[in-house]
Amino acid sequence: ATEGAAMTVDPSVSDAVTSFHTLGKPIGLCCIAPVIAAKLIPEVEVTVGSSESSERWPYAGTAAAIEEMGAKHVDTDVSQVHVDQKNKVVTTSAFMCETAIHEIHDGIGTMVSEVLKLTE
């Protein structure tokens, strides 16, 4: 995660994510993990929160790395998710935001609910 767009993905993780995507299975990723989808799934839409750096969003530079990989970053608040319907990828920022744990919990809970909706 410290190498930006030049990052690599462990082969076993790459195989799992690529297989899920190829089979049309929904994928839920939170915190820094959306960069994995950005690296592996062409033109995927993900969020890691805000693209504007601040005390609340100290890792906002991650959004630029996501864009460099050819993916689209969508700004969201910590309790929100982004659903890429086309690729069946649901993401939320979680601990990329300096905030109260209940806000992180809300975002992760919504992510799980949205992934389950994509299984129907």
Side-chain angles (χ1 to χ4, degrees):
T2 60
E3 294 153 6
M7 66 169 270
T8 59
V9 179
D10 181 273
S12 62
V13 174
S14 178
D15 289 347
V17 171
T18 302
S19 294
F20 263 61
H21 182 255
T22 300
L23 293 170
K25 294 183 179 194
I27 300 167
L29 301 165
C30 64
C31 201
I32 191 67
V35 299
I36 297 170
K39 188 71 174 183
L40 300 175
I41 302 172
E43 300 178 5
V44 70
E45 297 178 1
V46 299
T47 190
V48 289
S50 179
S51 58
E52 306 247 346
S53 189
S54 66
E55 277 189 36
R56 183 171 163 86
W57 296 101
Y59 311 106
T62 306
I66 286 168
E67 296 276 338
E68 286 179 48
M69 291 182 220
K72 179 181 179 186
H73 180 265
V74 178
D75 280 6
T76 60
D77 196 30
V78 66
S79 62
Q80 298 174 315
V81 301
H82 178 71
V83 180
D84 179 342
Q85 294 284 344
K86 178 184 167 199
N87 290 297
K88 291 189 174 182
V89 175
V90 184
T91 53
T92 190
S93 60
F95 294 95
M96 299 295 280
C97 182
E98 296 292 331
T99 191
I101 192 74
H102 72 274
E103 289 187 273
I104 295 165
H105 175 270
D106 292 347
I108 294 171
T110 302
M111 179 193 71
V112 170
S113 295
E114 293 297 323
V115 167
L116 291 174
K117 285 181 190 176
L118 291 173
T119 66
E120 298 171 354

